[in-house]
Amino acid sequence: MALDAGEAVPRDPREFSGIGIMGGPMSANDDLPWIPPLLEFLRDAVRRDVPVIGHCLGGQLMSRAFGGEVRVNPVREIGWGEVRVVIVVHAVRDL
C-alpha cells in the first residue's frame, strides 16, 4: 500500500499473516500525517504476534515505534550493493 500517496493505514494488523515495511526517500523523523498511525499499527501488530520486518525506512519506523532513536548517518547509504551467497557445509560426527 502507498501510505505516502494517501492510502489509509489499516486498522487491524490481524488482517495480515505478516507485515513488511519497505523504504522511501523520507525519514521516520519527518512530520508526515501517516507516520503516527503507522507507528501505532506496528506496535499493535507486535502485541498481537503478527510478524513484522522493516527494511531501510521500515527499520527506522520500527525503531521509532518501539522507543528507539533515528539519527542522520554521517555516511549516505542508498543504492545497490553486491550480495554473494556462500554455502557452508558442516560435518557432524557421532561422538
Side-chain angles (χ1 to χ4, degrees):
M1 62 195 57
L3 301 178
D4 60 327
E7 289 188 41
V9 174
R11 293 187 184 272
D12 189 349
R14 294 173 295 181
E15 295 176 9
F16 305 92
S17 59
I19 299 164
I21 307 292
M22 303 305 287
M26 63 288 291
S27 164
N29 293 325
D30 289 349
D31 186 21
L32 298 169
W34 52 268
I35 289 181
L38 178 59
L39 299 180
E40 181 53 37
F41 177 77
L42 294 173
R43 287 188 287 269
D44 193 31
V46 170
R47 278 192 298 266
R48 296 172 184 269
D49 292 322
V50 176
V52 180
I53 189 169
H55 301 279
C56 199
L57 173 63
Q60 292 179 26
L61 290 164
M62 288 181 62
S63 176
R64 289 246 355 250
F66 297 102
E69 179 182 352
V70 175
R71 295 176 290 164
V72 175
N73 188 347
V75 178
R76 188 174 175 111
E77 291 184 5
I78 190 168
W80 297 96
E82 182 180 336
V83 176
R84 290 182 278 143
V85 176
V86 177
I87 298 173
V88 178
V89 177
H90 294 278
V92 178
R93 290 190 200 177
D94 292 329
L95 298 176

